[in-house]
Amino acid sequence: MIVILLLNILLTSILIYSNLIELERSIKTVISFTTSMVLYSVLYFLILVFNFKFNLTLIGLILVNSLIFLIYIKKKKIKFNLNLNVKKLDIFFLLVLFYSLYFFIQNSNKWGQWDAWAIWSLHAKFLFYTDNWQNLFTNRIAWTHPDYPLMLPSMIAMFWCAIGDTTFIIPFFIALLPYIGILILFYFSFKNPVISIVSIIIITLDFSFTNRAAAQYADILLAFFYLLSCILITKIIDEKNNKSNLYYLLGFISSSCLWIKNEGSVFFILICIFIVIKNFRNYNALLKFGIGALIITVVYISFKICYAPSNDLVSKQSGNTLSKIFDIKRYEMILNYFKKMILMKFQIIPILAFIFLLKWRKLSPSLLIIGLTLIIYFAVYIITPYDLQWHLETSLERLIDQIYPSLLFVFLNYFENDFKSPNIIQETTKVLD
Amino acid sequence: MILKKVLIILLLAYFIFLFFSTSITIKPEKNIIPNLEEILLSIKKYTNSNSVISFKSNNSYEEFYYCTQFVMVPLIIENNINNDTILYIIDKGMNNADSLKININYQVIKNVSTDKYKVFLLKKNK
């Protein structure tokens, strides 16, 4: 455990202190931590595939990382400066963070809710047994969806391996990270402190969202990556620099969605299309995005080709797909469920959407991507081989959870753009400080 | 300024204390995994970790079978009686606890009992 943490700190520090990326330090920290965690999950999968020794590989990596880190510090002549300049607002944020943490723990159960143990922790348990991990990939236990990508299970399994025990505390702790990550991203992504506070209050007081985060499903992890991708897209657009190094990060973070859940592929493909359209003939940006996305895409495709059994939504399709497409009742049912769900559990979204329609109306790229993701989710419901009502009841809420923080960010970003005058930001900061 | 720093450090200390104290007392699971672990882990030793085992029980709730699979990983547990080895679990809490009978073609490899369950690992006679 200590070894893994050390490796993480090393990797994190490299990115925090690097001048490659033009971002706020706090967001850089979150991105660095996230990048490290994704790389660990990939690394653990590669350890399993190539049958490497877990401990030896980690020690080797630590040595390599330390070397890179030392060379980097020497070359760039970086001085460490632990700046503890805190504002009143930061203390308020910390208090909110503690409150959410307390509420998260209060809502948690050992091993989480049904899907957490029946899918994610179960997969992690298979991956924990390094000699028999491939037993997972069989349709004999198709109910656990063995075709699902392995980011969450491999993260859990790696920490289990490090402590040598399959304890419930690891899935619990890993479920906490994206939830806290979402709060941190909301607090630091907006320049206007009022919007930052409003955003974290909305998320913290949304008890059902916290409840679902505490369920230990992969949806909140995916929501975190969607949010991070949307933030990066916004930063890229704000930067107006076609050679921005943020393209590397966007490639990496958006491709990570592939490695979390099958739904992530929809979002990633849409981002790829957006990047290609935005940077048509700007080969530099396209290359950077491609390099960023390369590792995860290769690992994901290899996993799907070599290990994952066929997906149930695809393999169970029968000849009546066409009739389902032309069945108007299915569309009505999906829309009704969606309406009901939004009004019951995500009330803030219709309010913000209403203000958007009244005030701005202009679609931002992130809003377009989220909207299209939702439409493709609905399209899958249209042709689902399962009973539509059952499928909607069991999954729609989780799908909306995935896009909920990003949607909130995009709408609040419209508000921020309206108050973007530096004077307003300075004055508000002064008042709050 | 010093007061702010002290406050931050105190908050962080409280945060760490809160995290560890409450996560230790995290609510128990809503499923029966620990009950099954208590009895199935001793059975697991008598199986080949790459084998596929059938599952039969008087408790027909899906969750019961899923929890059994969770505990028995890396073995594959199938909810049928098509394999040569069968994991036969009697849930004493169910009304039909006496309804299961062991087929004469199977021999008992191991049986374990607790106040809640009785488990037999059966192998088909050759």
Side-chain angles (χ1 to χ4, degrees):
Chain A
M1 192 67 125
I2 294 162
V3 167
I4 290 174
L5 282 176
L6 201 70
L7 182 65
N8 198 40
I9 292 162
L10 281 173
L11 266 169
T12 303
S13 319
I14 290 170
L15 266 174
I16 293 173
Y17 289 99
S18 88
N19 301 322
L20 280 171
I21 317 155
E22 293 289 325
L23 276 177
E24 293 80 9
R25 194 161 152 175
S26 313
I27 297 187
K28 252 191 223 179
T29 313
V30 174
I31 291 178
S32 311
F33 189 80
T34 309
T35 313
S36 314
M37 290 299 275
V38 175
L39 287 175
Y40 294 150
S41 86
V42 170
L43 174 72
Y44 188 78
F45 177 65
L46 294 178
I47 286 174
L48 293 174
V49 169
F50 296 108
N51 211 5
F52 292 147
K53 289 274 176 241
F54 179 71
N55 291 338
L56 282 179
T57 315
L58 274 185
I59 291 168
L61 260 171
I62 285 208
L63 290 176
V64 173
N65 269 310
S66 314
L67 205 68
I68 295 171
F69 188 56
L70 287 173
I71 292 170
Y72 193 84
I73 296 169
K74 214 175 173 186
K75 208 175 158 189
K76 298 267 176 182
K77 291 176 184 162
I78 292 166
K79 284 175 188 166
F80 290 93
N81 174 24
L82 189 64
N83 189 356
L84 252 181
N85 266 345
V86 280
K87 301 172 203 152
K88 278 179 193 161
L89 210 61
D90 294 339
I91 297 174
F92 172 76
F93 174 62
L94 269 179
L95 285 169
V96 171
L97 213 58
F98 299 158
Y99 168 75
S100 358
L101 178 71
Y102 182 75
F103 194 68
F104 181 94
I105 296 171
Q106 287 301 309
N107 278 279
S108 294
N109 286 90
K110 284 180 185 174
W111 297 114
Q113 304 291 330
W114 184 292
D115 275 11
W117 60 265
I119 298 178
W120 305 108
S121 296
L122 179 66
H123 293 190
K125 256 189 129 180
F126 274 103
L127 300 189
F128 172 74
Y129 293 95
T130 47
D131 293 333
N132 315 93
W133 66 282
Q134 290 189 42
N135 289 1
L136 168 66
F137 308 115
T138 169
N139 272 331
R140 288 171 191 266
I141 46 170
W143 52 267
T144 184
H145 304 287
D147 65 295
Y148 279 8
L150 295 176
M151 185 194 284
L152 183 57
S154 53
M155 272 184 202
I156 297 172
M158 186 190 62
F159 280 95
W160 276 345
C161 260
I163 58 175
D165 183 26
T166 55
T167 163
F168 72 90
I169 204 85
I170 298 295
F172 160 76
F173 180 66
I174 288 179
L176 179 67
L177 295 178
Y179 176 67
I180 295 291
I182 286 171
L183 286 172
I184 295 175
L185 283 180
F186 269 122
Y187 182 68
F188 288 106
S189 326
F190 298 106
K191 287 193 179 79
N192 189 323
V194 176
I195 308 266
S196 297
I197 293 172
V198 168
S199 64
I200 55 163
I201 288 178
I202 291 174
I203 286 284
T204 313
L205 292 183
D206 189 342
F207 301 127
S208 53
F209 182 75
T210 314
N211 213 347
R212 292 189 296 272
Q216 301 177 16
Y217 293 170
D219 301 280
I220 304 300
L221 184 64
L222 191 59
F224 171 77
F225 278 85
Y226 281 5
L227 174 64
L228 199 46
S229 305
C230 287
I231 291 171
L232 288 173
I233 289 174
T234 313
K235 299 275 176 204
I236 285 175
I237 291 167
D238 286 352
E239 249 188 18
K240 289 174 187 155
N241 172 12
N242 283 338
K243 288 180 180 171
S244 168
N245 284 324
L246 288 177
Y247 281 104
Y248 287 120
L249 270 183
L250 181 63
F252 186 81
I253 297 292
S254 59
S255 65
S256 300
C257 299
L258 289 172
W259 191 227
I260 302 170
K261 283 197 89 177
N262 287 335
E263 294 97 300
S265 56
V266 173
F267 188 77
F268 176 60
I269 290 167
L270 287 171
I271 286 196
C272 288
I273 294 169
F274 162 71
I275 292 294
V276 170
I277 293 171
K278 186 185 177 294
N279 298 289
F280 190 62
R281 290 191 183 161
N282 173 12
Y283 299 116
N284 187 285
L286 290 177
L287 187 70
K288 283 179 176 174
F289 180 82
I291 291 171
L294 188 70
I295 300 175
I296 306 294
T297 312
V298 169
V299 168
Y300 174 75
I301 293 172
S302 321
F303 163 72
K304 282 288 178 187
I305 293 173
C306 305
Y307 298 101
S310 57
N311 178 263
D312 54 343
L313 290 177
V314 178
S315 62
K316 285 183 180 169
Q317 286 294 341
S318 54
N320 62 354
T321 309
L322 214 60
S323 66
K324 283 177 186 166
I325 293 173
F326 292 108
D327 187 352
I328 301 293
K329 278 181 187 165
R330 293 177 79 83
Y331 292 86
E332 280 174 2
M333 195 175 184
I334 294 167
L335 282 177
N336 284 338
Y337 257 89
F338 178 66
K339 246 190 317 191
K340 211 169 92 184
M341 185 66 72
I342 287 282
L343 292 174
M344 271 172 62
K345 294 192 173 169
F346 303 88
Q347 294 95 343
I348 192 73
I349 297 295
I351 296 169
L352 291 173
F354 182 71
I355 299 171
F356 166 78
L357 288 173
L358 222 61
K359 213 167 174 326
W360 302 295
R361 289 184 197 167
K362 198 184 160 200
L363 280 175
S364 69
S366 302
L367 187 58
L368 189 67
I369 291 169
I370 297 165
L372 288 172
T373 307
L374 197 62
I375 290 170
I376 296 171
Y377 285 174
F378 287 169
V380 175
Y381 278 126
I382 298 288
I383 55 166
T384 178
Y386 296 111
D387 174 57
L388 182 56
Q389 189 172 347
W390 173 84
H391 204 171
L392 284 164
E393 271 171 11
T394 53
S395 61
L396 185 63
E397 188 181 355
R398 288 186 285 113
L399 292 187
I400 301 175
D401 265 341
Q402 293 169 10
I403 58 160
Y404 174 53
S406 327
L407 212 50
L408 206 58
F409 168 76
V410 171
F411 282 137
L412 291 174
N413 202 43
Y414 278 105
F415 276 101
E416 193 181 46
N417 288 338
D418 265 12
F419 298 105
K420 216 164 195 177
S421 141
N423 288 339
I424 292 180
I425 295 173
Q426 272 173 13
E427 278 168 25
T428 341
T429 316
K430 241 185 242 172
V431 169
L432 288 163
D433 212 24
Chain B
M1 197 62 212
I2 293 169
L3 200 69
K4 264 188 196 174
K5 284 182 184 176
V6 170
L7 190 61
I8 286 282
I9 290 164
L10 280 175
L11 276 173
L12 284 173
Y14 175 65
F15 166 78
I16 293 163
F17 168 75
L18 189 79
F19 179 74
F20 283 104
S21 59
T22 42
S23 56
I24 290 165
T25 55
I26 186 171
K27 275 186 275 177
E29 51 279 268
K30 284 179 178 168
N31 52 53
I32 43 151
I33 289 170
N35 298 337
L36 284 173
E37 264 177 349
E38 191 188 334
I39 192 161
L40 289 178
L41 289 181
S42 55
I43 293 274
K44 212 169 158 183
K45 292 173 199 160
Y46 294 86
T47 56
N48 175 351
S49 51
N50 275 325
S51 56
V52 179
I53 292 178
S54 288
F55 167 87
K56 191 165 170 62
S57 174
N58 62 328
N59 186 336
S60 57
Y61 286 110
E62 268 186 342
E63 189 189 354
F64 192 72
Y65 158 64
Y66 292 169
C67 286
T68 307
Q69 171 64 77
F70 186 85
V71 175
M72 296 299 277
V73 170
L75 276 90
I76 299 288
I77 310 291
E78 272 190 303
N79 198 0
N80 59 33
I81 47 165
N82 300 339
N83 298 296
D84 285 351
T85 312
I86 298 182
L87 189 65
Y88 195 83
I89 307 179
I90 296 170
D91 185 344
K92 292 177 182 173
M94 304 295 283
N95 291 331
N96 53 353
D98 301 323
S99 65
L100 283 178
K101 298 277 180 283
I102 296 171
N103 191 311
I104 198 159
N105 294 326
Y106 288 86
Q107 58 168 312
V108 177
I109 303 290
K110 176 80 184 164
N111 69 326
V112 191
S113 182
T114 61
D115 52 343
K116 282 186 178 142
Y117 307 108
K118 197 167 189 179
V119 180
F120 297 90
L121 185 69
L122 309 173
K123 196 141 194 148
K124 202 173 198 175
N125 290 327
K126 287 190 178 164

